[in-house]
Amino acid sequence: MRVYLLVMVIAAAVTYLMVPAVRRLALVTGALTQVRERDIHRTPIARLGGIAMFLGLAVSFTIAAQIPYLGHEFAASSSAWAILLGAGIICLVGVIDDVWELDWYAKLAGMILAAGIMAWRGVQFVSVPVGGLTVGSPRLTLFLTIIVIVTVANAINFIDGLDGLAAGVVGIASLAFFVYTYMLTREASPGDYSSVACVVIAALVGICAGMLPHNFHPASIFMGDSGALMLGLVFGAAGIVVTGQIDPAIIEAPRALPAYMPIILPIAVLIIPLADFIWAVVRRLARGQSPFTADAGHLHHRLLRAGNSHRGAVLVIYVWSAWFSFMAVGMAMFAPVPVIALGAVSFVGFLAFTALELRGPKTRAS
């Protein structure tokens, strides 16, 4: 565990320390988020924060590969380097968009390219951990990989509408997913807990933690598409790596839904951004618009209109992201009765917190 905590700390420290330099770069290049009708901020804010996050990811991977405990995992598998390559490609696409504002189809092409390269380098669905099913066609493998990664990347990008929202939600989801992946790795290989999947998710937790002090309201920098798309891409890729590497048969029989958890858990920990993404696509298509047309109908916009402050809306989404994430992990790893009991108590507490936030005056400062 200590080595993974070290990876988190390195990723967080590099990201945090690189943000001021990236902010200056954004000011020089004019990569600023201007104030639009649907936006919450009232002054232009520097973006390109994704560059600092990518550097945190790259440095943490590079150092992890030099640690003897993890070095053989990096040497034996190209999946970590494939994920880093894909993250670099999508970060570059995001930087171009942050500076020059690409059309939606250009960004979509970049996402497909990054996902396709990762699949080509080994990050792909080889099997589906339900009944021992395998993906029989290389084309189907490529298609499923691209669909999953592009969907998750867009889901995270869509919720990146309030200060600290995307980084916090992904950080919470990644922390829960890390606990699950680490516990399964311990059971899969007793005595050797090294895992590329754990490294990737630990680094993801780290870069989110490193960005949040700069990005939480009032934000001094936005991660931009260079960060939001990259977070979604890396999380989606990590989910695929875990699904392909962990055999659900290793989970003891008394545990709940063991065969389905490698598929259910990545969905459960991202249930809020995925639900918001699906609703946004349905809403826009029903209006005859492109699914990538921006609007003010996202969950965070609705929370603000309901009376939440800026921070309050973000914290409401945080607590429910944590509830769904850790309930899913608990159901996967422990006996269901105590997990359900604890979940019920926390549900009531979170519901009370949400109600208190919604009762706040609509005119209070955000």
Side-chain angles (χ1 to χ4, degrees), residues 57-70:
L57 190 73
V59 171
S60 62
F61 276 24
T62 302
I63 294 177
Q66 305 306 313
I67 299 174
Y69 181 76
L70 298 171

Side-chain angles (χ1 to χ4, degrees), residues 159-193:
I159 68 163
D160 186 28
L162 295 181
D163 297 357
L165 182 57
V169 168
V170 174
I172 291 167
S174 299
L175 184 60
F177 200 40
F178 172 77
V179 172
Y180 172 76
T181 304
Y182 179 74
M183 295 297 291
L184 285 187
T185 301
R186 285 172 61 101
E187 294 191 23
S189 54
D192 181 9
Y193 306 152

Side-chain angles (χ1 to χ4, degrees), residues 42-318:
R42 292 293 173 259
T43 58
I45 304 292
R47 39 192 179 186
L48 298 181
I51 296 177
M53 301 173 80
F54 175 73
L55 292 174
L57 190 73
V59 171
S60 62
F61 276 24
T62 302
I63 294 177
Q66 305 306 313
I67 299 174
Y69 181 76
L70 298 171
H72 68 281
E73 289 287 339
F74 280 84
S77 171
S78 63
S79 59
W81 302 120
I83 292 173
L84 186 61
L85 177 59
I89 292 171
I90 202 62
C91 183
L92 177 60
V93 171
V95 167
I96 295 172
D97 179 64
D98 289 339
V99 177
W100 290 291
E101 296 192 0
L102 295 173
D103 292 322
W104 67 266
Y105 48 81
K107 288 191 286 186
L108 180 60
M111 285 182 266
I112 293 173
L113 174 64
I117 288 176
M118 287 196 299
W120 174 59
R121 294 289 300 271
V123 180
Q124 56 186 250
F125 283 107
V126 177
S127 63
V128 179
V130 178
L133 296 178
T134 59
V135 180
S137 166
R139 291 183 180 179
L140 181 58
T141 294
L142 180 64
F143 177 76
L144 286 175
T145 300
I146 291 174
I147 288 295
V148 168
I149 291 176
V150 169
T151 299
V152 175
N154 275 292
I156 300 305
N157 194 36
F158 276 30
I159 68 163
D160 186 28
L162 295 181
D163 297 357
L165 182 57
V169 168
V170 174
I172 291 167
S174 299
L175 184 60
F177 200 40
F178 172 77
V179 172
Y180 172 76
T181 304
Y182 179 74
M183 295 297 291
L184 285 187
T185 301
R186 285 172 61 101
E187 294 191 23
S189 54
D192 181 9
Y193 306 152
S194 58
S195 164
V196 165
C198 286
V199 172
V200 173
I201 303 170
L204 195 55
V205 174
I207 63 176
C208 290
M211 173 56 66
L212 270 175
H214 300 283
N215 188 232
F216 197 71
H217 186 72
S220 63
I221 190 171
F222 292 156
M223 68 175 70
D225 281 3
S226 57
L229 290 174
M230 185 187 68
L231 286 182
L233 178 136
V234 174
F235 191 95
I240 290 173
V241 170
V242 172
T243 301
Q245 289 187 353
I246 301 297
D247 180 1
I250 65 172
I251 306 178
E252 296 174 4
R255 293 182 177 165
L257 302 176
Y260 295 92
M261 273 301 163
I263 291 177
I264 293 173
L265 192 74
I267 297 173
V269 297
L270 288 179
I271 188 66
I272 290 179
L274 286 173
D276 189 53
F277 168 71
I278 293 169
W279 171 239
V281 170
V282 171
R283 180 176 68 244
R284 293 164 187 174
L285 290 176
R287 295 173 181 167
Q289 299 174 326
S290 163
F292 298 97
T293 301
D295 62 20
H298 292 289
L299 174 62
H300 50 273
H301 292 122
R302 294 174 184 272
L303 286 171
L304 289 172
R305 289 195 293 270
N308 290 81
S309 67
H310 193 129
R311 290 191 179 193
V314 171
L315 292 174
V316 165
I317 297 177
Y318 279 5

